[in-house]
Amino acid sequence: MTPAAFAHQLVAEDIQRDLGTQRVGRSVMVLPDVDSTNTYALNRLTVDGTVVFAELQTAGRGRLGRPWQSPRGASLTFTTLLLEPPGRIAPTRWMMAGAVAVAQAIARETDVAPVVRWPNDLYVGPRKLAGVLVETRSLPTGRMAVAIGIGVNCLQQPGHFPPDLREKATSLEIESSQPIDRTALARALLRRLDYLLASHERPTDDELAVQWREASADLGGRARLLSDGQEFGGQIIDIHPATGLLLQLDDGGRRQFDPQTTTRL
């Protein structure tokens, strides 16, 4: 299958029709190509709750500037723009809610059950399926523009991944026994994002932490982290939207780690 063979292009009207969200998806656009949906959202969008999808990103990226590559029409790559008032800075919550929304939407729309891996990735077994990237920008009005970028590998086959990633990456097409409907998955994702981040009924931090734990295989496992130029190892004790990851260090004691300043090794 060549990239041109991916069928069923996304259509903004199909995604938005009867979506039923309160904030996320009040405006939806689909671009044939863009450098990065996060960059586009932060530089060009001005309406709260707007979502921009791209069939191809020419400079897609993950955390720490790592490249995110996908053939045209093979993935769901999109950004939700939220305009937050001054003082409401919650990057850990935004990232965690994004990952939980992806896990829940995929489980609802497919027969694949990915697990969340702190801070921002979703895996099926040892292979990465999706990721979340949160970026922010201060506006002249004093408000904060929040770009919640999500990428989900949907229709790729192993040959679509670079050789060095074929044992590390996967897609819904590879993992599922059912056809993958990107439009249905996009709608489910926007609904879950709206509920977790923007609805009047959105969960508290503690309630979001419970949903994260249900979707994660991290608790009780080991992790190696890089923070402030120093490497740490230990057992994951807890994860919380307000305080980040709590690690029982191998050399004794416990320490909290912020996902915005921590790399998982």
Side-chain angles (χ1 to χ4, degrees):
M1 183 185 295
T2 64
F6 292 119
H8 306 296
Q9 293 183 349
L10 297 175
V11 177
E13 291 79 4
D14 293 341
I15 296 171
Q16 196 172 16
R17 184 179 297 115
D18 299 323
L19 191 60
T21 53
Q22 297 179 30
R23 186 179 177 192
V24 172
R26 59 179 51 171
S27 176
V28 175
M29 56 196 307
V30 177
L31 303 177
D33 53 71
V34 72
D35 51 358
S36 156
T37 58
N38 266 23
T39 299
Y40 186 95
L42 290 172
N43 289 342
R44 302 184 65 176
L45 299 184
T46 59
V47 177
D48 178 71
T50 300
V51 181
V52 54
F53 290 82
E55 292 287 23
L56 176 68
Q57 289 189 117
T58 58
R61 62 187 183 276
R63 290 184 74 241
L64 308 176
R66 295 167 179 152
W68 179 282
Q69 300 176 343
S70 175
R72 180 183 297 276
S75 298
L76 279 179
T77 50
F78 68 97
T79 294
T80 297
L81 180 75
L82 299 179
L83 303 181
E84 295 289 334
R88 190 181 294 175
I89 310 301
T92 302
R93 178 184 175 86
W94 296 324
M95 187 177 295
M96 289 183 67
V100 170
V102 175
Q104 293 175 346
I106 289 174
R108 178 168 298 185
E109 293 296 326
T110 76
D111 58 352
V112 180
V115 297
V116 179
R117 185 176 187 266
W118 189 89
N120 68 321
D121 292 329
L122 290 96
Y123 277 71
V124 178
R127 293 178 171 86
K128 183 175 176 179
L129 176 70
V132 180
L133 176 65
V134 175
E135 296 179 300
T136 62
R137 175 169 297 172
S138 297
L139 300 176
T141 60
R143 302 179 80 187
M144 179 70 69
V146 182
I148 303 171
I150 291 175
V152 183
N153 294 330
C154 293
L155 303 178
Q156 293 94 329
Q157 293 297 325
H160 292 125
F161 296 112
D164 60 324
L165 294 181
R166 288 174 189 169
E167 297 303 316
K168 301 177 181 179
T170 190
S171 73
L172 292 174
E173 182 81 10
I174 293 171
E175 300 294 338
S176 178
S177 61
Q178 304 172 354
I180 302 303
D181 185 334
R182 289 193 305 147
T183 297
L185 180 57
R187 288 166 56 82
L189 274 164
L190 297 190
R191 287 171 174 152
R192 294 313 296 168
L193 277 173
D194 188 70
Y195 166 69
L196 292 171
L197 281 173
S199 72
H200 300 310
E201 300 83 20
R202 62 183 177 271
T204 65
D205 282 352
D206 289 343
E207 291 167 342
L208 178 59
V210 170
Q211 295 189 45
W212 171 279
R213 295 178 191 118
E214 291 173 348
S216 176
D218 273 340
L219 293 184
R222 289 191 52 78
R224 290 173 55 242
L225 309 174
L226 183 65
S227 181
D228 297 326
Q230 186 175 355
E231 187 173 329
F232 300 87
Q235 184 181 38
I236 298 175
I237 301 300
D238 195 16
I239 299 168
H240 193 273
T243 57
L245 180 142
L246 177 62
L247 199 69
Q248 177 67 51
L249 300 173
D250 289 336
D251 57 2
R254 295 183 175 185
R255 178 167 173 156
Q256 302 277 359
F257 292 90
D258 183 339
Q260 297 297 301
T261 58
T262 303
T263 303
R264 189 160 181 174
L265 301 176

